[in-house]
Amino acid sequence: MPVMRRSASARKVIGRKVVNGKVYTYEYYTLPLNLYLPKGMVEKWGTEFIVERDEESGKIIITSKKALDGRQL
């Protein structure tokens, strides 16, 4: 089976947690399939990514569209 390729946009999620009566907030980014992205990766490359999924080997490769600007897949 060939590699499945699709375009995906990172979604910003803001979480809140209460510890000993104090509220802490945090943020993180996700892609479809509940793939978490480091905040620095989104800040550097933007929110548009290409997700490649190879079902035979079980690999998922995430590549920024900005990084592939001059290249062709």
Side-chain angles (χ1 to χ4, degrees), residues 31-51:
L31 287 175
L33 304 174
N34 286 334
L35 299 171
Y36 295 96
L37 292 173
K39 185 178 177 181
M41 188 172 174
V42 174
E43 289 173 350
K44 182 176 181 180
W45 298 106
T47 60
E48 296 300 316
F49 293 90
I50 295 175
V51 179

Side-chain angles (χ1 to χ4, degrees), residues 5-37:
R5 221 177 254 145
R6 74 183 207 185
S7 177
S9 182
R11 190 171 55 107
K12 183 177 182 178
V13 179
I14 298 175
R16 292 186 191 123
K17 188 169 189 171
V18 179
V19 178
N20 295 331
K22 194 170 184 181
V23 178
Y24 294 93
T25 60
Y26 55 93
E27 61 184 42
Y28 59 95
Y29 294 87
T30 64
L31 287 175
L33 304 174
N34 286 334
L35 299 171
Y36 295 96
L37 292 173

Side-chain angles (χ1 to χ4, degrees), residues 41 44-46 48-50 62-69:
M41 188 172 174
K44 182 176 181 180
W45 298 106
E48 296 300 316
F49 293 90
I50 295 175
I62 301 170
T63 311
S64 168
K65 282 187 179 180
K66 201 183 245 187
L68 295 175
D69 207 12

